[in-house]
Amino acid sequence: MYVFPFPVPDELTAEALQALSADEFATLDTNIRAHATELYARLEREYPDAHCELDYETPLQLLVATILSAQCTDKRVNMVTPALFAKYPTA
């Protein structure tokens, strides 16, 4: 389990988030955004030439290709997604 370097509810459920006061939620939101920004910067420094091997044109296509890539290779996904996206261009 991932441990955040700042206080968060034991479980990040919708109910736990709704139970927070507006100030607590704003603080949590700010902390999460700052933490995500720091993680992104670290990854960018560690892997400056990283790029996605999946072929896509829209966020939806990237989502679908990512899900498919969990089941087979990126190369195979890139072979089948052009026809899939042509047949089903929207969600």
Side-chain angles (χ1 to χ4, degrees):
M1 179 176 178
Y2 184 78
V3 178
F4 286 93
F6 47 84
V8 296
D10 288 339
E11 292 188 28
L12 285 176
T13 63
E15 293 81 19
L17 292 175
Q18 289 172 347
L20 296 175
S21 71
D23 287 343
E24 290 171 325
F25 185 83
T27 300
L28 179 61
D29 182 61
T30 300
N31 288 338
I32 289 174
R33 288 175 189 272
H35 187 60
T37 300
E38 172 61 25
L39 290 177
Y40 183 82
R42 287 183 190 180
L43 288 169
E44 204 168 41
R45 283 192 302 270
E46 188 69 26
Y47 305 101
D49 298 323
H51 65 280
C52 182
E53 293 291 335
L54 299 170
D55 296 334
Y56 66 95
E57 294 178 5
T58 68
L60 175 62
Q61 289 180 358
L62 177 58
L63 174 64
V64 171
T66 301
I67 293 168
L68 291 174
S69 73
Q71 305 302 316
C72 60
T73 65
D74 291 352
K75 183 177 179 181
R76 174 63 61 184
V77 171
N78 288 337
M79 291 170 64
V80 301
T81 50
L84 179 69
F85 297 151
K87 186 170 183 177
Y88 304 101
T90 62

